[in-house]
Amino acid sequence: MYRLNVLYNQPTDPAAFDEYYFNTHIPLARKIPGLRHVSISKTEGLDGSTPDIYLVTTLDFDSKEAFGAGLGSPEGKATAADVPNFATGGVTMLGAELVTEDFN
């Protein structure tokens, strides 16, 4: 499995970010061919402070090849092109081969 980890920094207007992200951006992303799963997490500082990262999204694909094909598709390109429309705090994207161990 191949995973795209997207780390969104604190936006200038969190309410506007959330509105756009959940109602416009995520519906675009869900159309990317080969996308198997999306996980979205809002962060919080363990000490009560505001972390630099506001939101973390993971997008899972069957393989690195499926990831490349998905992001290279018209839907993937449209989703990538949409990021500057709402990510006012900046964003970091990291691709990763998923390595897990079953702890159950």
Side-chain angles (χ1 to χ4, degrees), residues 2-103:
Y2 197 80
R3 176 169 285 170
L4 174 63
N5 297 286
V6 185
L7 290 74
Y8 294 98
N9 295 334
Q10 291 290 334
T12 55
D13 182 344
F17 177 100
D18 288 353
E19 172 69 25
Y20 191 94
Y21 182 78
F22 289 104
N23 294 314
T24 301
H25 188 70
I26 287 300
L28 284 175
R30 290 191 184 280
K31 295 178 183 176
I32 297 172
L35 179 61
R36 296 290 177 221
H37 183 260
V38 176
S39 175
I40 301 167
S41 304
K42 282 196 175 177
T43 66
E44 56 184 42
L46 297 180
D47 62 0
S49 66
T50 301
D52 292 338
I53 303 299
Y54 177 70
L55 188 121
V56 177
T57 302
T58 59
L59 299 97
D60 293 336
F61 297 83
D62 287 337
S63 65
K64 189 172 185 177
E65 293 75 24
F67 162 76
L71 264 58
S73 71
E75 296 87 351
K77 290 177 182 177
T79 302
D82 187 51
V83 172
N85 292 328
F86 66 93
T88 56
V91 61
T92 300
M93 297 184 192
L94 304 166
E97 196 73 39
L98 189 60
V99 179
T100 62
E101 217 177 286
D102 188 2
F103 292 103

